[in-house]
Amino acid sequence: MSDPFLSIQNVRKSYGDVTVVKDFSLAVEQGEFVSFLGPSGCGKTTMLRIVAGFEEPSAGNVMIGGQDVTGLRPNQRNIGMVFQSYALFPNMTVAQNVGFGLKVAGVPKAEAAARVDEMLNLISLPQLGDRYPYQLSGGQQQRVALARAMAGKPQVLLLDEPLSALDAKVRVSLRDEIRAIQKAAGITTIFVTHDQEEALSMSDRIVVMHGGMAEQVGTPFEIYNRPTTKFVAGFVGTLNMLDGTVTDPATGAVRIGDDNVVMKQSLNGAKAGDTLSLALRPEAISLGKQPGRDASIGGTISEVSFLGSVIRVRVGLGKDAVSLDTFNNPAAPPPRVGEKTEISFSSADLLVLH
Amino acid sequence: MRRLWPWLALAVGLIYFILPLLGMTEFSLKMRRGVYSFDAYAKVLADPRFQETFTFSVVMALATILFGVLLVVPTAYWVRLKLPRLRPYIEFVTLLPLVIPAIVIVFGYIRLYNTSSWLPLTGSAMGTNILLIFGYATLSLPYMYRAVDTGLRTIDVATLTEAAQSLGAGWVTILARVILPNVLVAVLSGAFVTFAIVLGEFTMAALLNRPAFGPYMQLLGANRAYEPAALAVIAFAITWGCMALIQIVSRFAPKAPVNPH
Ligand SMILES: Nc1ncnc2c1ncn2[C@@H]1O[C@H](COP(=O)(O)OP(=O)(O)O)[C@@H](O)[C@H]1O
Ligand SMILES: [Mg+2]
């Protein structure tokens, strides 16, 4: 395995007594798309700004392409940056915005113009070069900002919640567009977002941040299906939290509600009588007995929401309750509140949280 | 009935301001006995001292504007970007020239920079002119600083700066290509006020003994009858021209970008 292209080593950032980023380390491969995902205020922007050079870390290093850039100013780092507020220069046309970095770098006029055209084509706005930012929609402005950030072929592309200011429809289409452009250019990218759907759909890897720390790093598949902490499990996707009481650590038997489930995964050394924090994704649960599902628990239907193609059902299991989705079946009426029922799932889908 | 009072107030105001002006203008046209004529204006405009002092003051005004822009734009920018907590104090300092009489400033200058001081600026015409420019810049500071600071408020200074930095720009490039063009309208309106102030200023130019337009007006006023009236009308026209230019220029303020917040 080659050395990572971008490497963040034990970075800490404090403002006075408040530590905003704690011992953050991350290695990013060349061309990789990594998301920082976490709730507002968890230090995502601060970490990104340290990579960009706008903030100086209180401790630790940032290496880009084998070079230690910790002491370099932002304009010496060859990075591309996209902001939530677009930050296009209001006094310049679209083409001048995109060409700004090239002009600053002293790229010959003809070459710069060709590169600007190429970038405008890449973002599918070739005819808008003469417009001013205020004449563009939010989505168009953000695409121009992306073109501007990438025109100078930066080593690293940094995006801070670039889609948060846009309306839902544009947001989803721009997701795919950003990802496609990033892939085509093969540019190493860090994408900050608080939107789990964005992170899951776009990233090669996700860093889930919590309280200034990288809580879990993994592929979207790993993060979603194998969250290692309660926080990650709760933050990414909808999750049913259950308490299980260990009845026999030797066989892995755990009581949930009124029934026993035999778990195959490690119980983290729990002893008989210990309580485990367990979690289940709604899509891992079915109503009634299903072939191929080795675990089932009896419960009572406590809520039914008819959402059209999907019916969301809540089932009470002793003191806990789980949500699950079933497809609408025109031939069968939905379950009714108060009915006794049984849920089934694969015991392997039960997550044991720390 | 309700409509009457505002109109009445307006009428009183207009009479208060316009009547003296009309009287003065009428008087300035009466140099030739029995008929209205522009004789007084012709006389003033033909006076070589008018041409000299007017040219001198215009050049001083332009130099003051240049100096003021170079001083105020980077300062206001830096305060907004890095020292936002100092903003009220800086604003207070820039307002001081409104309460400190010009004569105090000039005497301060003369004490500091007289021919026997460490920097004898008053020793040469050029040095004195430079001193005068500093003085004028001080007088126009309240207007210039406020105009520029207001202009800076309309753009997202911090993020635009960071965007430019990430694209490789240094401070000079950022100021010249990103900040200044976006506050140009504000700078221009500050510039026109400065222009009007410098053209009419008397105290500093007189005490530093420079051939400026203000002292010339004063001199003429003490010795002639019709010409000072004509000169006053000309000065009014120039000032109002500046005000009109401010109005026109602010029409061309750059449109605010679609604000995502
Ligand atoms: N310049 C600063 N001075 C003091 N505190 C700051 C500064 N910048 C950010 N913070 C604090 O650091 C924390 C993390 O901020 P930020 O990185 O912007 O979070 P996120 O982008 O994840 O929402 C917040 O609590 C914020 O108040
Ligand atoms: Mg943020």
Side-chain angles (χ1 to χ4, degrees):
Chain A
M1 194 123 168
S2 61
D3 279 343
F5 184 70
L6 166 66
S7 161
I8 302 169
Q9 296 161 348
N10 307 102
V11 164
R12 180 170 59 79
K13 176 72 186 175
S14 307
Y15 295 106
D17 299 340
V18 189
T19 301
V20 174
V21 173
K22 293 166 197 154
D23 195 29
F24 190 104
S25 293
L26 179 71
V28 182
E29 296 300 318
Q30 180 135 35
E32 204 179 4
F33 189 115
V34 174
S35 291
F36 292 174
L37 173 66
S40 174
C42 71
K44 308 180 295 291
T45 297
T46 306
M47 194 52 241
L48 194 76
R49 291 169 57 82
I50 289 172
V51 176
F54 296 127
E55 305 279 353
E56 210 181 318
S58 310
N61 296 78
V62 177
M63 314 268 294
I64 298 177
Q67 188 199 1
D68 189 338
V69 300
T70 317
L72 291 187
R73 277 181 275 136
N75 56 349
Q76 302 168 321
R77 290 197 183 192
N78 194 16
I79 40 137
M81 183 101 189
V82 177
F83 302 85
Q84 181 179 349
S85 57
Y86 324 136
L88 295 179
F89 305 127
N91 57 312
M92 298 180 202
T93 64
V94 165
Q96 287 167 336
N97 264 284
V98 175
F100 182 83
L102 304 172
K103 197 168 170 184
V104 168
V107 175
K109 264 209 172 108
E111 195 185 326
R115 178 72 178 152
V116 169
D117 283 345
E118 187 190 333
M119 293 315 295
L120 291 181
N121 277 318
L122 194 65
I123 57 166
S124 322
L125 298 174
Q127 71 287 11
L128 297 189
D130 293 331
R131 296 268 187 95
Y132 280 88
Y134 74 90
Q135 296 170 310
L136 305 182
S137 72
Q140 289 172 329
Q141 288 190 57
Q142 199 55 298
R143 275 144 77 191
V144 173
L146 179 68
R148 179 179 70 175
M150 291 181 62
K153 303 197 170 132
Q155 290 187 292
V156 180
L157 180 65
L158 307 173
L159 305 101
D160 191 357
E161 311 231 5
L163 305 176
S164 301
L166 302 167
D167 35 309
K169 227 174 170 175
V170 182
R171 196 158 28 187
V172 172
S173 72
L174 209 48
R175 244 189 232 169
D176 301 340
E177 205 175 322
I178 290 178
R179 179 59 163 148
I181 290 172
Q182 181 271 338
K183 256 191 178 150
I187 184 168
T188 311
T189 301
I190 299 181
F191 182 96
V192 163
T193 179
H194 64 264
D195 182 324
Q196 41 139 331
E197 211 178 288
E198 257 168 49
L200 290 170
S201 65
M202 295 174 80
S203 320
D204 291 319
R205 276 192 304 156
I206 297 175
V207 179
V208 182
M209 289 184 67
H210 178 42
M213 292 199 282
E215 185 114 354
Q216 187 176 356
V217 183
T219 63
F221 187 85
E222 287 163 358
I223 294 286
Y224 188 83
N225 293 305
R226 294 281 168 257
T228 52
T229 69
K230 216 172 190 161
F231 173 80
V232 175
F235 190 75
V236 182
T238 317
L239 201 70
N240 295 301
M241 298 286 192
L242 297 167
D243 279 343
T245 310
V246 179
T247 48
D248 183 358
T251 60
V254 172
R255 201 172 64 235
I256 304 170
D258 299 328
D259 291 279
N260 270 314
V261 174
V262 178
M263 302 201 16
K264 294 176 188 72
Q265 54 269 58
S266 140
L267 301 183
N268 298 325
K271 297 180 290 293
D274 285 357
T275 302
L276 287 178
S277 276
L278 303 172
L280 261 178
R281 296 281 180 206
E283 62 268 31
I285 314 171
S286 339
L287 212 49
K289 272 226 158 37
Q290 296 284 333
R293 305 252 159 135
D294 61 341
S296 62
I297 306 173
T300 312
I301 293 189
S302 63
E303 244 179 81
V304 178
S305 327
F306 187 71
L307 307 174
S309 64
V310 167
I311 302 169
R312 174 150 290 191
V313 181
R314 213 165 155 72
V315 179
L317 309 168
K319 65 180 176 52
D320 292 315
V322 295
S323 288
L324 60 102
D325 296 336
T326 63
F327 282 113
N328 175 32
N329 177 0
R336 278 201 304 273
V337 173
E339 267 177 47
K340 288 265 173 236
T341 186
E342 207 172 21
I343 61 161
S344 58
F345 51 89
S346 298
S347 60
D349 287 336
L350 260 182
L351 305 169
V352 183
L353 304 177
H354 304 288
Chain B
M1 252 334 257
R2 279 257 217 80
R3 285 275 193 75
L4 188 68
W5 288 110
W7 284 112
L8 200 69
L10 186 67
V12 170
L14 281 178
I15 290 168
Y16 182 80
F17 284 113
I18 291 191
L19 216 53
L21 262 182
L22 282 179
M24 184 176 71
T25 312
E26 203 243 350
F27 182 71
S28 74
L29 296 172
K30 285 211 299 204
M31 194 175 193
R32 197 179 302 176
R33 214 167 282 267
V35 282
Y36 287 134
S37 72
F38 286 102
D39 281 9
Y41 292 85
K43 260 218 152 111
V44 166
L45 294 176
D47 184 351
R49 274 182 310 158
F50 168 82
Q51 293 160 7
E52 273 162 33
T53 56
F54 190 73
T55 312
F56 177 83
S57 282
V58 167
V59 171
M60 291 304 274
L62 295 179
T64 304
I65 288 165
L66 188 69
F67 176 70
V69 168
L70 290 179
L71 177 75
V72 167
V73 173
T75 308
Y77 167 67
W78 200 253
V79 170
R80 267 203 177 260
L81 191 65
K82 301 276 180 182
L83 312 164
R85 263 176 300 171
L86 288 188
R87 231 167 63 85
Y89 305 103
I90 303 276
E91 207 159 281
F92 176 73
V93 169
T94 63
L95 288 178
L96 282 180
L98 290 182
V99 281
I100 299 178
I103 196 162
V104 173
I105 299 173
V106 192
F107 274 118
Y109 278 169
I110 292 175
R111 281 203 61 162
L112 270 177
Y113 303 111
N114 63 40
T115 42
S116 54
S117 73
W118 59 282
L119 187 60
L121 278 178
T122 56
S124 67
M126 197 46 169
T128 316
N129 286 349
I130 290 173
L131 215 47
L132 192 54
I133 289 171
F134 290 168
Y136 287 157
T138 309
L139 288 186
S140 62
L141 197 59
Y143 311 99
M144 200 57 155
Y145 191 89
R146 297 219 134 207
V148 171
D149 197 48
T150 308
L152 286 173
R153 194 178 311 158
T154 62
I155 56 172
D156 184 350
V157 171
T159 314
L160 289 182
T161 299
E162 288 180 357
Q165 280 180 315
S166 73
L167 293 165
W171 293 118
V172 175
T173 310
I174 294 173
L175 269 168
R177 300 237 183 102
V178 177
I179 301 303
L180 189 59
N182 282 303
V183 295
L184 200 58
V185 168
V187 166
L188 281 178
S189 69
F192 291 129
V193 175
T194 306
F195 191 82
I197 289 175
V198 171
L199 270 195
E201 208 284 329
F202 169 78
T203 317
M204 289 189 167
L207 286 172
L208 288 173
N209 196 23
R210 299 309 300 148
F213 190 55
Y216 169 73
M217 280 201 287
Q218 213 277 339
L219 187 73
L220 204 65
N223 299 310
R224 297 289 166 88
Y226 297 100
E227 287 91 334
L231 198 56
V233 172
I234 294 173
F236 255 109
I238 292 169
T239 310
W240 282 5
C242 287
M243 298 302 153
L245 281 176
I246 294 173
Q247 291 300 318
I248 291 169
V249 159
S250 35
R251 295 269 158 83
F252 293 102
K255 313 275 190 306
V258 178
N259 198 333
H261 300 299

